[in-house]
Amino acid sequence: MSSVAIIGAGAAGYFAAIQLVEQGFTGEIKLYEKSKALAKVKVSGGGRCNVTHACFDPKELTQYYPRGNKEMLGPFHHFQPGDMIGWLADHGVELKVEDDGRMFPTSDSSQTIIDCFESALPAGTLVSKGVKHLAATDNGWQLNFDDGESAVVDRVIVTAGSSPQFSSILKSMGIAMVDAVPSLFTFHIEDDALRALSGLAIEAEVRLKGAEWTTDGPMLLTHWGVSGPAVLKMSAWGARWLAERNYHAEVVINSMPRYHKESLLETLQGIRINAARKLVRNVGPSSVPNRWWQFVIKDNTAIDKMWADVKNVELEEMLAVLLELSLPISGKATFKEEFVTAGGVDLKSVNFKNMESKTHPRMHFAGEVLNIDALTGGFNFQAAWTTAFLAAKGIVES
Ligand SMILES: Cc1cc2nc3c(=O)[nH]c(=O)nc-3n(C[C@H](O)[C@H](O)[C@H](O)COP(=O)(O)OP(=O)(O)OC[C@H]3O[C@@H](n4cnc5c(N)ncnc54)[C@H](O)[C@@H]3O)c2cc1C
């Protein structure tokens, strides 16, 4: 009888075990967990579990993955959000879509997903044991557990997430690993005037000075700096770039992303005529909140003038800070709704048809242990579902 050991009962490991059963694997399956199964699923999405995202085109979907975008294209043709939605529906879980495309169980509770997974996994599959060592045998793998016991299996699926301990085990076995750095965090900015805006949201385009990416969407001002989708997306794209700079960089904010320089200049000139007898600090472009306007022009010599008295050079300065306000980042803060790690098993060493290692036969990978991570919105779980599905399929077909 053939046997498979799955190491780590998180989203990827649990789903891989269920997929093995449902795709017809008849051998022995053991799912080893060193602490609590599905712990991250439980706390995910603020306790609601953002299971996936309503994006059904594989090519479009890959654009949400700063790491893994090329490699996940093929896998998404085999198992993508539509398949996960269908699988959950077949198992009695209905999802709902929020305006931004994020999908949650209609119960708004991650427990619904946990209950579903628990009932789909055959009794006796989950074993509470940590794997502390792995060694290749002639035709498979020997696992040594932290209780001193061991087991020999034909294949392993490694789904240990971003565990530094397991990353060291993999590294010591000669598996190519990319060092882990956090992704999906918010930017810490030391600025009392900015802190006073806490709670305000603006539409913005964001970039990092000296880097190539631009992200957009709502940006939230918080008591520690800036957050919101525009910033979280940038933290994912710039995860490694920012880590290399110890999270010290300049974020450049365009708070009027729909305007070109010329059209914004015309808008400001229009305000100078139409609000001539009003104070500059009280009247700004209608598309930015007045508190943000007062913040960006706080150093402009025209701030306490009537609009009629504004000089062209002051107008140019207003334009510059609306389109490119540079603020110093002095650290990062964790985004509590979702937190992932960039880094893990080097994707070049993995066959994405069956998630098998190219260097260590009969060892498969799924989930966050791989150097794949995505923007916030349900994409990280989708990567776990897709890679788990393919690892199981690869094993069944082998
Ligand atoms: C607070 C929070 C909220 C999140 N919310 C969302 C969300 O709403 N939507 C989304 O898409 N993503 C979300 N994420 C990201 C998502 O949770 C991860 O991408 C996903 O859990 C990865 O699944 P995984 O199975 O690969 O790893 P994990 O869920 O980390 O599971 C790995 C498992 O392996 C076990 N393990 C490790 N080492 C060993 C060992 N030696 N032996 C045995 N077991 C071991 C661990 O204990 C763990 O249970 C969130 C993350 C966090 C932290």
Side-chain angles (χ1 to χ4, degrees):
M1 186 171 74
S2 54
S3 53
V4 177
I6 304 168
I7 305 171
Y14 229 100
F15 197 60
I18 296 169
Q19 282 303 317
L20 277 171
V21 177
E22 296 193 353
Q23 293 186 38
F25 183 78
T26 51
E28 186 184 57
I29 306 164
K30 291 288 177 202
L31 171 59
Y32 295 104
E33 172 55 50
K34 69 165 184 184
S35 50
K36 186 147 177 43
L38 299 172
K40 278 207 211 164
V41 171
K42 178 74 182 167
V43 296
S44 66
R48 295 199 297 144
C49 187
N50 179 192
V51 194
T52 188
H53 200 94
C55 175
F56 307 110
D57 173 50
K59 181 85 189 128
E60 193 190 331
L61 197 54
T62 57
Q63 286 162 18
Y64 293 95
Y65 292 81
R67 282 146 295 272
N69 51 28
K70 276 205 301 287
E71 293 80 1
M72 287 303 283
L73 182 60
F76 284 143
H77 279 284
H78 292 279
F79 196 86
Q80 50 112 317
D83 299 302
M84 190 59 191
I85 296 165
W87 185 87
L88 284 165
D90 289 345
H91 292 73
V93 177
E94 294 300 328
L95 300 183
K96 60 177 176 180
V97 194
E98 307 237 309
D99 291 346
D100 57 6
R102 291 180 304 157
M103 301 197 71
F104 296 86
T106 49
S107 64
D108 269 334
S109 168
S110 56
Q111 192 57 44
T112 306
I113 305 297
I114 295 175
D115 292 344
C116 164
F117 277 23
E118 283 178 352
S119 61
L121 189 76
T125 308
L126 181 62
V127 182
S128 289
K129 267 182 206 261
V131 176
K132 78 168 195 213
H133 187 253
L134 261 180
T137 63
D138 284 350
N139 293 310
W141 292 95
Q142 170 162 335
L143 284 73
N144 289 356
F145 302 107
D146 46 18
D147 62 2
E149 292 187 1
S150 63
V152 174
V153 294
D154 298 314
R155 284 180 185 260
V156 287
I157 309 181
V158 179
T159 50
S162 54
S163 152
Q165 177 228 4
F166 214 83
S167 296
S168 321
I169 295 178
L170 295 175
K171 216 171 183 171
S172 71
M173 294 168 62
I175 288 167
M177 301 291 289
V178 176
D179 287 342
V181 294
S183 181
L184 295 181
F185 47 85
T186 64
F187 299 162
H188 183 81
I189 297 171
E190 273 302 330
D191 185 322
D192 289 340
L194 188 76
R195 200 167 293 150
L197 302 183
S198 177
L200 192 69
I202 61 165
E203 271 304 310
E205 200 174 81
V206 168
R207 66 183 175 84
L208 295 168
K209 201 167 182 177
E212 60 190 279
W213 317 277
T214 303
T215 57
D216 58 11
M219 186 183 83
L220 306 179
L221 289 310
T222 68
H223 58 276
W224 68 85
V226 289
S227 175
V231 171
L232 290 165
K233 282 190 246 177
M234 183 52 77
S235 76
W237 287 106
R240 202 157 288 282
W241 191 91
L242 281 163
E244 281 161 10
R245 286 157 184 79
N246 198 21
Y247 306 98
H248 282 72
E250 273 182 56
V251 57
V252 183
I253 300 162
N254 176 355
S255 46
M256 304 214 46
R258 287 193 202 96
Y259 285 75
H260 292 297
K261 210 171 166 189
E262 294 71 28
S263 58
L264 182 54
L265 188 59
E266 279 169 22
T267 302
L268 293 174
Q269 286 164 338
I271 300 175
R272 184 161 62 180
I273 295 165
N274 298 325
R277 307 307 309 154
K278 298 210 166 107
L279 276 178
V280 167
R281 67 161 58 246
N282 291 340
V283 186
S286 57
S287 53
V288 291
N290 197 254
R291 286 166 69 206
W292 178 255
W293 166 244
Q294 290 176 355
F295 172 73
V296 296
I297 59 151
K298 66 183 184 325
D299 299 325
N300 194 302
T301 46
I303 186 164
D304 289 315
K305 288 184 181 174
M306 296 289 186
W307 265 104
D309 301 327
V310 174
K311 297 182 193 140
N312 281 343
V313 61
E314 291 166 332
L315 216 61
E316 290 281 350
E317 281 167 18
M318 291 174 190
L319 182 134
V321 288
L322 281 168
L323 293 180
E324 294 213 301
L325 179 73
S326 198
L327 296 172
I329 302 173
S330 58
K332 64 173 170 52
T334 306
F335 174 56
K336 292 193 184 63
E337 292 271 299
E338 185 167 341
F339 181 78
V340 289
T341 311
V345 176
D346 190 341
L347 305 186
K348 290 197 282 296
S349 71
V350 179
N351 174 353
F352 274 78
K353 289 198 166 61
N354 58 3
M355 305 314 298
E356 188 172 6
S357 168
K358 288 179 186 167
T359 53
H360 293 65
R362 294 178 289 281
M363 174 179 280
H364 303 250
F365 300 104
E368 213 180 315
V369 70
L370 291 154
N371 182 25
I372 296 173
D373 65 274
L375 307 184
T376 172
F379 304 105
N380 283 301
F381 275 143
Q382 187 56 51
W385 315 138
T386 299
T387 49
F389 172 88
L390 281 182
K393 183 167 181 279
I395 291 175
V396 171
E397 287 173 358
S398 73

